[in-house]
Amino acid sequence: MARMRVLGQARSVAVAAVLALAATACTGGGGSHRSISDGQSATASHGPVKRGGTVTVAEVSARPDFVFPLAPATNENGYNVNLTEGLWPFLVVAGDGAQAQVNKDRSLFSSLDWANGDKQVTIHLKPWNWSDGKPVTSRDFTFVYNLLKANYKNWNAHLQGLFPEDVAKVATPDAHTVVLDLTRSYNPDFYTDDVLSTIPLLPQHAWDKTSASGPVGDSDTTAAGAKAVYSFLQKEGAKTGGFATNPLWQVVDGPWQLKEFRSNGYYSYVPNPNYSGAKPAIDKLVVTPFTTDTPEINALRSGSSLDVAGLPLNDIAQAQALRSSGYSIASVPIPGVAEIVPNLYNASAGPLLRQLYVRQALEYLIDRPQLVSKVYNGYADPGNGPVPVKATGTWATPLEKSGGPYPYAPDKATSLLRAHGWKVVPSGKTTCRSPGTGPTQCGAGIKAGQALTFQLVYSSGRATTDQQFAAIKSSEAQAGITVNLKSEPFNTLISTLGTCTAASHPASGCGWQLASYGYDPYPLYPNGTGFFDTGGTNNYGGYSDPKMDQLIKATEYGSDKQAFFAYEDYAARQLPWLWIPLRSSILVYRSKLQGVVPLNPFNGGLNYEDWSYTS
């Protein structure tokens, strides 16, 4: 998953930044929403630029809590990358206007040259500067490499077996060239889009120290020194009170500098005057938090406090009034997958969820087309498998495009359960009446009389999310499956739910059974690395399958599209997660604010540095 800003909530930070500006949706009809333009095909207006001004952007439901861009493995707050990407861009930046391609203007490299059978990549860095005037050099890359080589197990963006583990040798022939000799050949598209896009450059000349008062040196060049520097920077990175005042975080190479940060999630940027790329035209960017979507839409209605926000689809009738108040509205699909994650190693529910037929029955009972239509008013990806059909349609297989392997079919769900020894009681309690491991029995670890009862925890704050899971709860009951719902604030959710595996897990964080964090953003190359491979960073429920691992590796090592399709269809059928629809983003922005459209699907149009007011 390449680093990117996307509209919505996500637990993962391994590959994406997530701004809580996502559109929310509720039931309701009316034809007015049909007039919302496709933000990807929208033509940008180019009036006279009025330099200066402040833009205020709404954020709903969550807040950043870490500023050092190499966050700990235990920090799963996807909002942090929203905060940091404008300060320290990634080596490779995804999305160029409306195009699903690398943004060469915003990326830190000028060219990438592959050689030696795709086992070697030469990275030519742009001759850019840090905000303090010092040059960005290949030493800044080796600083990041040395830190991660000694600490990758405590880096939340680490993709197992990949950078820095897969680097056999690093050479820096000059100040702007890095040569990576890798341990094997890779698909260059995968490595560029999904690996190099996780790596920011960091200012070695300012950060290579082990204490606030200590001198800057070359501590990173030894394993012990790299651990000490990393520990210091991560400790400082967690101090929210110092995000905008700590001198460390003032040395940036991105278009912005952090001006203010408050504990409630409010923060503001001002332009980095020494940014080497195209400098922002506005004077200030403010991100202001809302706990739910209701006060956000009220602020939009007032017409005075917000310049950019998400439009809840339950308020779609307000679209015309917002236009009359000087706003424009555009939609964009999100490149990612919404999911219900099954905890395969929960003490009570794990034996149930490890049975593929149980996951199949659960999926057959999710009426995805109805959710798209009634909850999201048609503004959602259908959620037919592990690859979104709308946002990354070129990667979607015929199976996914035709509705996926498990279309809504309650009769198939009940037949599956009965065939495996369950007494199905529609609208009641379905229980195991034939325990055992035979082909017509309930399965290993499932006791006689055990009920198909689960708790589903999900992130609160959006009416559409409540309605979606209420609908799922109701449809699962058709086969006597009980789904008890519990909603929590996003930051609470990710802080209390741990990643659980067969080998070991934190008991305190593995009491959950089913969980939905919002969605998981995808990179330009949307394979399952980190999601469905054994031990993957974002493999929260402990799914492990040697065939899945093999198929994912095939997409990493080769560029055969059929290999990608083989992975995709296998994942769709195996249900490492339960697939659910992923809403599109509906962006409301002041009509006099130009540079917003065409919307980049990989950051939801939030290219702040491209925005300007018209005079």
Side-chain angles (χ1 to χ4, degrees):
M1 304 179 293
R3 290 276 187 176
M4 52 201 156
R5 283 187 304 219
V6 200
L7 303 179
Q9 292 177 333
R11 185 190 194 205
S12 162
V13 293
V15 294
V18 192
L19 191 70
L21 184 68
T24 58
C26 286
T27 55
S32 61
H33 66 281
R34 298 303 174 194
S35 61
I36 293 175
S37 65
D38 178 352
Q40 287 181 272
S41 62
T43 302
S45 60
H46 294 288
V49 173
K50 178 183 178 181
R51 298 195 70 86
T54 297
V55 176
T56 300
V57 179
E59 178 184 80
V60 177
S61 180
R63 61 189 184 274
D65 61 10
F66 203 83
V67 71
F68 176 50
L70 304 179
T74 54
N75 189 308
E76 297 166 341
N77 188 343
Y79 292 87
N80 290 327
V81 190
N82 292 350
L83 177 70
T84 62
E85 189 178 11
L87 309 175
W88 304 283
F90 296 99
L91 186 63
V92 171
V93 175
D96 188 357
Q99 302 302 310
Q101 62 190 31
V102 172
N103 189 323
K104 293 184 178 179
D105 289 338
R106 299 297 180 192
S107 297
L108 299 180
F109 71 92
S110 58
S111 65
L112 300 173
D113 300 326
W114 287 86
N116 191 25
D118 295 333
K119 288 183 66 175
Q120 182 187 81
V121 58
T122 299
I123 304 166
H124 300 280
L125 299 176
K126 293 176 179 176
W128 285 13
N129 290 327
W130 294 100
S131 55
D132 60 4
K134 300 291 185 181
V136 175
T137 71
S138 53
R139 179 67 178 96
D140 298 314
F141 182 95
T142 59
F143 177 55
V144 174
Y145 171 74
N146 290 337
L147 291 183
L148 293 178
K149 184 179 180 182
N151 298 279
Y152 66 83
K153 292 182 179 179
N154 194 27
W155 175 38
N156 65 7
H158 176 243
L159 297 173
Q160 189 176 30
L162 297 168
F163 189 89
E165 296 167 89
D166 61 354
V167 177
K169 180 183 176 183
V170 179
T172 54
D174 60 53
H176 293 97
T177 306
V178 177
V179 181
L180 298 182
D181 286 297
L182 305 174
T183 55
R184 62 156 300 124
S185 298
Y186 283 96
N187 174 356
D189 287 339
F190 162 74
Y191 207 85
T192 299
D193 296 348
D194 291 34
V195 180
L196 298 181
S197 61
T198 68
I199 303 169
L201 297 186
L202 303 179
Q204 185 272 335
H205 71 277
W207 289 10
D208 198 350
K209 54 197 299 186
T210 60
S211 69
S213 59
V216 173
D218 292 302
S219 297
D220 67 301
T221 56
T222 69
K227 287 180 181 295
V229 172
Y230 199 74
S231 176
F232 165 66
L233 293 174
Q234 285 199 334
K235 182 179 178 180
E236 295 297 301
K239 297 177 180 178
T240 56
F243 281 9
T245 58
N246 190 324
L248 289 168
W249 318 133
Q250 296 302 307
V251 184
V252 301
D253 60 342
W256 302 100
Q257 288 184 301
L258 191 61
K259 177 69 173 179
E260 185 179 3
F261 184 90
R262 302 173 189 171
S263 60
N264 68 347
Y266 172 101
Y267 57 96
S268 65
Y269 295 119
V270 294
N272 167 13
N274 291 322
Y275 178 54
S276 301
K279 294 179 174 61
I282 59 175
D283 289 334
K284 189 176 183 181
L285 189 287
V286 173
V287 177
T288 188
F290 292 87
T291 54
T292 68
D293 51 29
T294 300
E296 180 207 30
I297 191 63
N298 289 339
L300 277 173
R301 289 190 186 109
S302 74
S304 60
S305 61
L306 290 179
D307 300 300
V308 182
L311 177 64
L313 287 182
N314 56 305
D315 288 297
I316 197 69
Q318 299 295 321
Q320 187 55 48
L322 291 171
R323 290 191 189 95
S324 299
S325 299
Y327 288 105
S328 295
I329 306 174
S331 67
V332 64
I334 297 173
V337 170
E339 76 295 305
I340 298 173
V341 182
N343 182 355
L344 304 183
Y345 295 95
N346 173 267
S348 58
L352 299 170
L353 295 170
R354 285 197 294 273
Q355 302 298 323
L356 176 58
Y357 77 85
V358 171
R359 303 197 301 275
Q360 291 171 327
L362 289 166
E363 188 68 47
Y364 273 131
L365 289 161
I366 300 175
D367 193 345
R368 299 190 305 277
Q370 184 182 55
L371 294 175
V372 170
S373 174
K374 299 299 184 182
V375 175
Y376 298 115
N377 280 305
Y379 286 96
D381 186 89
N384 297 333
V387 173
V389 173
K390 286 191 173 182
T392 54
T394 58
W395 293 106
T397 62
L399 176 64
E400 282 215 49
K401 290 180 178 178
S402 65
Y406 305 109
Y408 178 62
D411 289 346
K412 288 186 179 180
T414 55
S415 295
L416 263 177
L417 295 174
R418 289 184 177 123
H420 287 85
W422 291 85
K423 180 183 178 182
V424 177
V425 183
S427 301
K429 182 182 289 187
T430 291
T431 55
C432 174
R433 64 180 175 187
S434 181
T437 58
T440 61
Q441 294 179 308
C442 299
I446 301 174
K447 300 176 182 178
Q450 187 169 352
L452 283 174
T453 299
F454 306 99
Q455 183 185 71
L456 168 59
V457 292
Y458 66 92
S459 180
S460 62
R462 291 186 170 88
T464 47
T465 308
D466 294 334
Q467 293 191 355
Q468 173 176 260
F469 290 124
I472 291 174
K473 172 183 173 73
S474 178
S475 63
E476 295 290 345
Q478 294 176 89
I481 299 174
T482 300
V483 177
N484 297 313
L485 302 177
K486 181 183 179 183
S487 63
E488 294 181 337
F490 178 76
N491 285 59
T492 302
L493 190 69
I494 62 171
S495 67
T496 56
L497 272 60
T499 298
C500 306
T501 66
S504 62
H505 58 77
S508 61
C510 285
W512 62 279
Q513 299 178 353
L514 298 171
S516 181
Y517 307 96
Y519 70 94
D520 280 86
Y522 267 178
L524 291 172
Y525 187 71
N527 77 343
T529 301
F531 289 125
F532 311 128
D533 45 352
T534 300
T537 303
N538 304 301
N539 190 347
Y540 318 128
Y543 179 83
S544 180
D545 178 351
K547 183 174 180 179
M548 182 77 80
D549 294 342
Q550 179 184 17
L551 291 171
I552 290 173
K553 289 299 183 187
T555 71
E556 295 176 1
Y557 300 155
S559 57
D560 181 2
K561 199 165 187 177
Q562 293 307 310
F564 188 98
F565 285 171
Y567 144 72
E568 181 182 346
D569 283 351
Y570 186 74
R573 292 188 172 98
Q574 288 296 304
L575 295 169
W577 295 343
L578 302 180
W579 316 118
I580 57 177
L582 174 56
R583 63 188 178 274
S584 296
S585 295
I586 311 296
L587 196 68
V588 180
Y589 60 98
R590 292 202 187 277
S591 298
K592 64 180 180 179
L593 188 65
Q594 62 182 4
V596 177
V597 295
L599 294 180
N600 177 350
F602 289 90
N603 68 4
L606 301 182
N607 291 335
Y608 307 140
E609 53 272 20
D610 295 334
W611 295 355
S612 64
Y613 286 110
T614 56
S615 57

